[in-house]
Amino acid sequence: MAIHALIFDVFGTLLDWHGGVAREASRLLAPVRPDIDGGAFARAWRDRYQPAMEPVRRGERAWTDLDTLHAEGLDGVLAQFGVEGLTPEIKRELVLAWHRLDAWPEVPAALTRLRGGFLLAPCSNAHVRLAIAHARRNALPWDAILGAEFARDYKPKPAVYLRAAEALGLPPGEVMMVAAHTSDLVAAAGCGLATAHIARPDENGPGTGEAAPAAPVDVAASDLADLARRLGC
Amino acid sequence: MAIHALIFDVFGTLLDWHGGVAREASRLLAPVRPDIDGGAFARAWRDRYQPAMEPVRRGERAWTDLDTLHAEGLDGVLAQFGVEGLTPEIKRELVLAWHRLDAWPEVPAALTRLRGGFLLAPCSNAHVRLAIAHARRNALPWDAILGAEFARDYKPKPAVYLRAAEALGLPPGEVMMVAAHTSDLVAAAGCGLATAHIARPDENGPGTGEAAPAAPVDVAASDLADLARRLGC
């Protein structure tokens, strides 16, 4: 393999979305509903994420960013938990919970090592402004912000992976997709990209994530520091 | 003004395209034509830049990046200077001259200061890979790479400015376009952006650049450090 760039899934692979949204939900809901479990709230919200992107993927809805989809999903989650009477300001703060996610501990240093050998960009369903918030909060040393908004479509549509490779000036086979989710890697491999799996067995609670890839990949790593070692950085 | 992001023209405003291309052209042409003046060669090449983008702007040609347009223009410049028999490798190296441009001396430190107060992105006609090369060479601390390739059109088309503001999650009036060329700023202002002019009176030789804006702007600065001071960074 002659890999010159790495592109990354973000939610779960690099960032602890579950812990971050749980923390912010607990904090923001405490004044009205201290009984709600932030983790359960985060998981219920995340469950609405894949279906919300479907109309965009099918071309039935124009490009719509995750802040908008999260805001639309929030009303359903609040109804599900029986929460009433939140101000628009609190709802807005809840949507911004997705901007306030922390990286898994090894990620910033491992990315900095990887940057010595590869071009680096997120290839996430996060829009540019959301990716900037993640990068600034966690000092992620991106060369560019690629992914859904750049292609104006959502993974796993091929355009998202292929436009990222094109922007990096590389054929797909010289770009490696890095993700903690086999489905993302299978889609990338279908576009000709190399693939690396990152184990996140406890992505949203013990035993909830993938400890190993469920399909063939080029590299299977225990975390991002392990990937950096395997790639010689 | 409540400005939250600055977007930048790059060629001439932040980078010395003339000096960089002249240096590389002199070096690469020396074995076959040591008599050619690198600066004259650079200016002749740059003269082909605006017309080359026109078919894309008019929608007659699909998105085509500057490496391709530079390569196409190079053959004409070589003919103009009577240069024959260059290998494809040398021609490729000449195109890469545009990747090897140095920033004006005050730029990296001034951008680092500005990053404390604003989101920062290039809004250039350079494509993503070219912008990455500029950023890595000069340690430009971008939050994202926006501009022509993101919009798949060339400035001064409105979409390039408006898509940049959209990606930053801001209304145009909260984004300031920074450029050394009045025409770029007039186009940005027409889209509702705030504007800052940077004086580069010697952009491609003494007295060749704009010492002052030729139309009203929100801020006129003597260089990027001066802009940082004026914006309180």
Side-chain angles (χ1 to χ4, degrees):
Chain A
M1 284 190 297
I3 300 298
H4 298 295
L6 306 178
I7 62 176
F8 294 83
D9 177 59
V10 168
F11 296 110
T13 300
L14 301 182
L15 304 183
D16 175 15
W17 65 265
H18 181 261
V21 175
R23 178 196 69 231
E24 294 292 299
S26 292
R27 179 176 71 82
L28 291 161
L29 296 173
V32 292
R33 287 289 303 276
D35 60 305
I36 289 177
D37 176 68
F41 193 90
R43 292 189 296 276
W45 204 352
R46 181 75 172 173
D47 285 345
R48 294 169 184 267
Y49 169 75
Q50 291 295 340
M53 292 183 286
E54 269 305 307
V56 175
R57 291 184 181 122
R58 287 195 302 259
E60 297 165 7
R61 183 176 189 181
W63 164 254
T64 306
D65 71 27
L66 282 195
D67 279 1
T68 305
L69 298 183
H70 283 146
E72 292 172 0
L74 177 60
D75 286 328
V77 183
L78 292 172
Q80 187 177 333
F81 282 79
V83 181
E84 292 177 352
L86 291 188
T87 64
E89 290 71 26
I90 295 293
K91 289 186 184 183
R92 175 70 187 154
E93 285 295 305
L94 280 165
V95 168
L96 289 176
W98 295 92
H99 291 236
R100 297 171 185 151
L101 306 181
D102 294 327
W104 300 113
E106 87 284 5
V107 165
L111 282 179
T112 299
R113 286 164 55 194
L114 288 163
R115 195 167 191 268
F118 303 93
L119 300 179
L120 303 182
C123 186
S124 159
N125 283 333
H127 49 294
V128 173
R129 179 59 182 264
L130 179 51
I132 291 174
H134 296 155
R136 284 209 169 206
R137 183 180 180 95
N138 296 288
L140 308 180
W142 299 131
D143 285 299
I145 307 293
L146 303 173
E149 188 173 2
F150 192 77
R152 293 179 94 77
D153 205 342
Y154 279 113
K155 293 191 295 183
K157 291 283 288 290
V160 184
Y161 307 99
L162 293 172
R163 288 287 308 281
E166 179 193 5
L168 295 167
L170 295 169
E174 296 180 14
V175 178
M176 178 175 274
M177 180 73 201
V178 182
H181 311 117
T182 299
S183 59
D184 202 355
L185 297 174
V186 167
C191 296
L193 281 75
T195 53
H197 185 270
I198 306 294
R200 298 293 182 203
D202 306 322
E203 180 179 341
N204 54 337
T208 58
E210 294 184 11
V217 296
D218 294 300
V219 180
S222 60
D223 65 14
L224 206 64
D226 184 37
L227 180 68
R229 279 189 298 272
R230 287 167 186 266
L231 296 178
C233 292
Chain B
M1 284 190 296
I3 300 298
H4 298 296
L6 306 179
I7 61 176
F8 295 84
D9 177 60
V10 168
F11 296 110
T13 300
L14 301 182
L15 303 183
D16 175 15
W17 66 265
H18 181 261
V21 175
R23 178 196 68 231
E24 293 294 298
S26 292
R27 178 176 71 83
L28 292 161
L29 296 173
V32 292
R33 287 290 302 276
D35 60 304
I36 289 177
D37 177 68
F41 192 90
R43 292 190 296 277
W45 204 351
R46 181 76 172 173
D47 284 346
R48 294 169 185 267
Y49 168 76
Q50 291 295 340
M53 292 183 285
E54 269 304 307
V56 176
R57 292 184 181 120
R58 287 195 302 260
E60 297 164 8
R61 184 176 188 181
W63 164 252
T64 306
D65 71 26
L66 281 195
D67 279 1
T68 305
L69 299 182
H70 282 146
E72 292 172 0
L74 177 61
D75 286 328
V77 182
L78 292 171
Q80 186 178 334
F81 282 78
V83 181
E84 292 177 352
L86 291 187
T87 64
E89 290 72 26
I90 296 294
K91 289 187 183 182
R92 176 71 187 153
E93 284 296 304
L94 280 165
V95 168
L96 289 175
W98 295 92
H99 291 237
R100 297 171 184 151
L101 307 181
D102 294 327
W104 299 114
E106 88 283 6
V107 164
L111 282 179
T112 299
R113 286 164 54 194
L114 287 164
R115 194 167 191 269
F118 303 94
L119 300 179
L120 303 182
C123 185
S124 160
N125 283 333
H127 49 293
V128 172
R129 178 60 182 264
L130 179 51
I132 290 174
H134 297 154
R136 285 208 168 206
R137 182 179 179 96
N138 296 287
L140 309 180
W142 299 131
D143 285 298
I145 306 293
L146 303 173
E149 188 173 2
F150 191 78
R152 292 180 94 75
D153 205 342
Y154 279 112
K155 292 191 297 181
K157 290 282 289 290
V160 184
Y161 307 99
L162 293 172
R163 287 287 308 281
E166 179 193 4
L168 295 166
L170 295 169
E174 296 181 15
V175 178
M176 177 175 275
M177 179 73 201
V178 181
H181 312 117
T182 300
S183 59
D184 202 356
L185 298 175
V186 167
C191 296
L193 281 75
T195 53
H197 185 270
I198 306 295
R200 299 291 182 202
D202 306 324
E203 180 179 342
N204 55 337
T208 58
E210 293 184 12
V217 297
D218 294 300
V219 179
S222 59
D223 65 13
L224 206 65
D226 183 37
L227 180 67
R229 278 190 298 273
R230 288 167 185 265
L231 296 179
C233 292

